[in-house]
Amino acid sequence: MKRLTAALATTATLTLLLSACSGLTLPSNSGWQPPEVQVDESLEGLDRFTEQEPEWKDCGDGFECTRVGAPLDWNDPESETISLALVKKPATGTKLGTLFVNPGGPGSGGGQYVRDGVDGAVSKRLQESFDIVGWDPRGVGNSSAVYCYSDEELDEMLFGDPREDSGREPGSDEWIDEAREEARDFADDCLEGTGPLLAHVDTHSTAQDLDLLRHLAGDEKLNYLGYSYGTFIGTVYADMFPERAGKLVLDGAIAPDVTMHEVVLMQQQGFEQAMRAYLEHCLAGDDCFFTGTVDDAMLEIGAMLDEVDRNPMQAPDGRWVSVDTFMTAMITVLYSESSWPYLQVLFEEVSAGETDTAQLIADLYYSREYGEYTDNSTVAFSAINCLDYPRGVSVEEMRKQAAEIAEAAPIFGKYAGYGDISCEEWPFPGFDDRGPMNAKGSDPIMVVGTTGDPATPYAWSKRLADQLDDARLLTYNGEGHTAYNGASSCVNDTVDDYFVNGTVPSGPVDCD
């Protein structure tokens, strides 16, 4: 039984995958494959990496791709070489430099993101002025990657029979012991499948990779656009290399000092607030699944969750829609206001005991298509987060935190506790210090926050902007996760002017 591991991983860590998407789409795989990495092993130390000359090859449709080498362990330049895969859309006009883009995650690949969705990632104006480069961070996608579990084992973990878990109260000693055993099995499989790389997929190592990529691109300072978790990469980079941090836009920010408990609690509150925004819109129309008030509808959603928890549904393909799958489907749709129509269908089907839409959305979330997982985002997500956050929360503290989450988010929160167990058995320690970062000495950094963002609450963007030594807060008063290249011309123009003209607002900017 592996289902407890999946439930813990889903609810306890930063929500994944749709960080910069404007709506629901099925997984896409253009099949791009960069050339093999070529490092001059006759050079010593970091020279074998900094003296590389990347070989860009045509990847079709005007895109180019390559691989570069990086040290497995940045503290040991003589360690083995890992590869980083990159995709580039060359500037269509006069080139000002290279703009690196990361869509979030952790676990999402920037190469596929740029290759299949560059127009969603950046505006035409930025495409004209910059080479747009997305890369798969270490541990992810076409770079040297984390490997855990076969597709069949992932299906069992994510969609196995939840009735096998019945009779054990979440948070009880028996339940915790079994969850730890499942987490240990998952961690052991990841170590066996991945090897030494598993110890070095942390975000600080990724930030050092990014500085290498900046150097190889020939830019004196980094130009960077990060969404969601990608904002944490940018923040870590700016704090490590402030003198090389040029124009950085961090959209949907994660405050670097936020604890795992705060992440879970504030996200559950955020998704409940987003659900309320949807329900207010829905109830004002003529064809809403719910009736009555927003509070009435929220209680009905809670009752639906409880019913699916008691009586999970088996789909025609044999997989199960548990309460975790139902939660995943709802949360995924709440990322973007443009995806709200899926909620009507989801609620109609689940109330009738049907599973099609819940499975469709969950498969999107987990990058599963036709029975296969098209990337390693699900397992890379866990591997990166288990290194990025401190560990060592006692069982008593976990129980206290679970109660706080359930009280703060009474509809969703009861299903979101005990996530610390998922990393307890990880074979390598987590990062000890998740304190504030100020990037003292950097150029002005633009932090973008959306007031109705459920996944990275607006409070985190304000918190990060306050921490950074030189930052401008750009506020979008609206719904959804991330704001740039969306509906607000105010946001889009402010960001584009910053990148292209170097226009730095004199103070905070407020956009509708």
Side-chain angles (χ1 to χ4, degrees):
M1 291 182 292
K2 302 170 182 173
R3 289 202 61 266
L4 293 180
T5 301
L8 295 170
T10 298
T11 59
T13 42
L14 293 175
T15 314
L16 132 104
L17 287 182
L18 299 182
S19 49
C21 293
S22 59
L24 288 173
T25 55
L26 286 172
S28 175
N29 189 344
S30 61
W32 69 279
Q33 281 295 331
E36 292 304 311
V37 63
Q38 295 182 356
V39 172
D40 188 347
E41 299 293 348
S42 67
L43 298 176
E44 296 183 357
L46 291 177
D47 285 350
R48 62 192 175 115
F49 304 110
T50 59
E51 298 300 318
Q52 294 175 89
E53 295 182 4
E55 176 193 350
W56 291 95
K57 79 169 189 178
D58 182 8
C59 282
D61 300 324
F63 293 88
E64 300 174 1
C65 54
T66 193
R67 288 185 194 271
V68 302
L72 171 72
D73 181 355
W74 275 99
N75 293 319
D76 180 11
E78 301 298 334
S79 61
E80 66 180 80
T81 298
I82 65 168
S83 71
L84 303 173
L86 299 84
V87 170
K88 175 171 68 178
K89 178 67 181 300
T92 58
T94 302
K95 177 182 170 181
L96 298 177
T98 298
L99 176 61
F100 290 92
V101 181
N102 181 276
S108 297
Q112 197 78 34
Y113 178 61
V114 167
R115 176 63 180 81
D116 289 343
V118 67
D119 290 337
V122 299
S123 68
K124 291 290 188 182
R125 185 178 172 195
L126 292 190
Q127 292 178 50
E128 182 177 333
S129 300
F130 292 91
D131 287 348
I132 307 300
V133 173
W135 86 105
D136 291 356
R138 55 174 57 213
V140 175
N142 281 307
S143 293
S144 296
V146 170
Y147 292 98
C148 316
Y149 280 173
S150 65
D151 285 355
E152 292 76 15
E153 289 172 314
L154 281 175
D155 270 355
E156 173 62 24
M157 184 177 84
L158 299 171
F159 305 108
D161 189 347
R163 297 174 303 176
E164 297 175 358
D165 302 329
S166 62
R168 291 182 293 281
E169 181 68 22
S172 66
D173 290 343
E174 181 184 16
W175 185 90
I176 288 173
D177 287 344
E178 183 167 346
R180 282 173 169 160
E181 182 178 350
E182 292 184 12
R184 187 180 304 114
D185 289 344
F186 179 69
D188 289 346
D189 194 85
C190 292
L191 180 58
E192 181 179 356
T194 307
L197 174 65
L198 197 65
H200 301 284
V201 294
D202 57 285
T203 299
H204 282 71
S205 294
T206 288
Q208 290 173 284
D209 293 340
L210 181 55
D211 193 52
L212 172 65
L213 300 181
R214 173 206 57 79
H215 169 78
L216 296 177
D219 287 356
E220 181 178 347
K221 291 191 175 185
L222 176 71
N223 301 305
Y224 178 76
L225 172 60
Y227 294 100
S228 196
Y229 159 77
T231 67
F232 185 54
I233 296 175
T235 301
V236 172
Y237 180 93
D239 201 55
M240 293 180 73
F241 309 106
E243 72 285 357
R244 298 198 282 274
K247 300 183 182 73
L248 273 62
V249 171
L250 310 178
D251 187 0
I254 297 170
D257 60 336
V258 68
T259 67
M260 181 58 72
H261 177 52
E262 286 181 284
V263 167
V264 178
L265 187 149
M266 294 181 74
Q267 282 193 330
Q268 296 309 313
Q269 288 180 314
F271 282 113
E272 286 200 5
Q273 290 167 1
M275 183 63 79
R276 285 181 168 275
Y278 160 73
L279 290 171
E280 185 175 350
H281 169 81
C282 181
L283 290 167
D286 298 327
D287 190 32
C288 187
F289 175 79
F290 300 98
T291 58
T293 67
V294 169
D295 286 342
D296 293 336
M298 288 295 289
L299 290 174
E300 191 169 346
I301 291 171
M304 292 175 70
L305 283 164
D306 292 343
E307 175 61 23
V308 175
D309 191 28
R310 288 189 300 267
N311 298 296
M313 300 173 288
Q314 189 171 23
D317 67 358
R319 292 185 295 155
W320 288 83
V321 171
S322 66
V323 69
D324 303 312
T325 305
F326 185 25
M327 279 279 292
T328 297
M330 284 193 293
I331 285 173
T332 300
V333 173
L334 289 171
Y335 264 83
S336 173
E337 190 173 352
S338 66
S339 300
W340 283 0
Y342 283 87
L343 285 170
Q344 175 85 356
V345 181
L346 177 66
F347 291 134
E348 289 174 351
E349 289 186 357
V350 170
S351 66
E354 299 172 4
T355 61
D356 289 353
T357 298
Q359 277 196 314
L360 173 75
I361 300 170
D363 282 350
L364 164 70
Y365 183 95
Y366 294 116
S367 298
R368 185 184 187 275
E369 190 173 9
Y370 303 118
E372 297 181 352
Y373 292 83
T374 61
D375 59 37
N376 75 328
S377 56
T378 298
V379 296
F381 174 62
S382 295
I384 295 167
N385 271 326
C386 283
L387 295 183
D388 272 358
Y389 284 89
R391 300 205 284 275
V393 179
S394 68
V395 170
E396 291 75 17
E397 186 65 19
M398 276 191 271
R399 287 171 176 152
K400 178 183 175 183
Q401 291 178 353
E404 290 174 352
I405 295 166
E407 182 179 1
I411 305 301
F412 294 166
K414 65 187 291 186
Y415 300 104
Y418 301 97
D420 292 274
I421 296 173
S422 61
C423 290
E424 268 192 0
E425 305 299 327
W426 206 249
F428 304 102
F431 200 72
D432 290 334
D433 182 15
R434 282 295 296 249
M437 297 181 183
N438 60 21
K440 187 174 179 59
S442 74
D443 289 348
I445 295 171
M446 186 170 292
V447 179
V448 184
T450 299
T451 55
D453 190 329
T456 51
Y458 177 65
W460 293 352
S461 292
K462 292 177 63 178
R463 189 159 151 181
L464 176 60
D466 287 342
Q467 289 177 12
L468 291 171
D469 183 58
D470 192 356
R472 304 293 185 274
L473 178 63
L474 172 57
T475 298
Y476 171 54
N477 298 292
E479 298 294 327
H481 182 40
T482 74
Y484 172 65
N485 213 25
S488 172
S489 59
C490 171
V491 172
N492 300 339
D493 291 344
T494 302
V495 171
D496 285 352
D497 287 345
Y498 169 77
F499 276 126
V500 176
N501 300 326
T503 304
V504 179
S506 58
V509 179
D510 207 60
C511 292
D512 293 321

